[in-house]
Amino acid sequence: MTTPAPTHFDTAARDWDQRPMSQQLAAVPERLLAQLPLQASDHVLDFGAGTGLLSVPIAPKVAQVTALDMSAAMLQVLNEKGFANITTLQQDIFAGLPGRYHAVVSCMALHHVADTAALLRAFAAALHPGGRIALVDLYQEDGSFHGDNDAKGVQHFGFATEALQALAEQAGLTDIAFSDILRLQHRNGRAYPLFLMTGRKA
Ligand SMILES: C[S@@+](CC[C@H](N)C(=O)[O-])C[C@H]1O[C@@H](n2cnc3c(N)ncnc32)[C@H](O)[C@@H]1O
């Protein structure tokens, strides 16, 4: 068996929360939660959870959070935060999901997955009927956000919302809506808007 090569995220994990981008993204959870109805008994899947930007503020509001990420180092930082109802799951999203969820949330992870249609199908399959998605990512950009796109595993330069909506509907999701959630100020002097995409399984 070969040991997988460390990813950009494995290398960046220890300082992830201190990055200026992460500090700006800290505004996302409260805004996302304002548009995601959750019950105390819910089980939420955080896709590309990283060090827990979404998982940590969601955990006190629900019964269980599964924080899924390929990067062991990112999840190690999250585990050290010591939340009893956050279960970390180190695997690829396409390796099969062990549970059924009342909501799937994600922040800045969609653009790292090449096959967006398959990703949305995986989310839909993992949701209980009536379960919700709340997904945050970049609107379509010109590739300047990450700059070194290959090294950072970037598969999409953000998303066109019409195309994303069509894929979500093909996956069996409905009531798809987009709202502006944050403008990220980049050190290159530009601002990059992020969307929140919400919807539910029919
Ligand atoms: C930009 S980071 C976002 C982390 C966190 N959500 C945040 O906003 O701080 C994207 C994360 O998605 C994870 N990721 C990317 N593709 C993945 C896949 N196919 N399966 C599981 N995790 C994946 C990466 O390991 C990385 O930790």
Side-chain angles (χ1 to χ4, degrees), residues 9-158:
F9 298 107
D10 290 322
T11 312
R14 198 42 65 187
D15 299 320
W16 189 259
D17 293 350
Q18 283 72 50
R19 298 175 321 145
M21 280 295 169
S22 295
Q23 292 180 359
Q24 291 183 63
L25 285 166
V28 163
E30 187 182 350
R31 297 174 190 177
L32 179 149
L33 283 164
Q35 296 195 51
L36 177 64
L38 289 173
Q39 313 276 339
S41 56
D42 281 354
H43 187 172
V44 174
L45 174 70
D46 181 1
F47 163 64
T51 59
L53 179 96
L54 293 177
S55 292
V56 165
I58 288 174
K61 299 180 183 301
V62 298
Q64 185 70 38
V65 176
T66 294
L68 183 148
D69 203 292
M70 289 196 305
S71 165
M74 294 287 260
L75 293 180
Q76 172 67 23
V77 174
L78 174 52
N79 277 325
E80 287 168 13
K81 295 178 182 173
F83 282 79
N85 68 337
I86 298 178
T87 304
T88 55
L89 188 59
Q90 191 215 339
Q91 64 163 68
D92 190 289
I93 184 72
F94 295 122
L97 291 167
R100 284 286 172 276
Y101 308 94
H102 300 94
V104 177
V105 301
S106 184
C107 182
M108 297 297 275
L110 268 57
H111 62 255
H112 291 290
V113 177
D115 191 342
T116 310
L119 181 64
L120 292 167
R121 285 197 299 272
F123 291 168
L127 283 168
H128 289 294
R132 294 175 185 270
I133 54 165
L135 311 174
V136 173
D137 215 296
L138 290 155
Y139 284 104
Q140 201 155 49
E141 46 103 16
D142 60 2
S144 59
F145 179 79
H146 293 87
D148 45 353
N149 291 294
D150 288 346
K152 290 183 175 167
V154 175
Q155 304 291 335
H156 301 274
F157 297 163

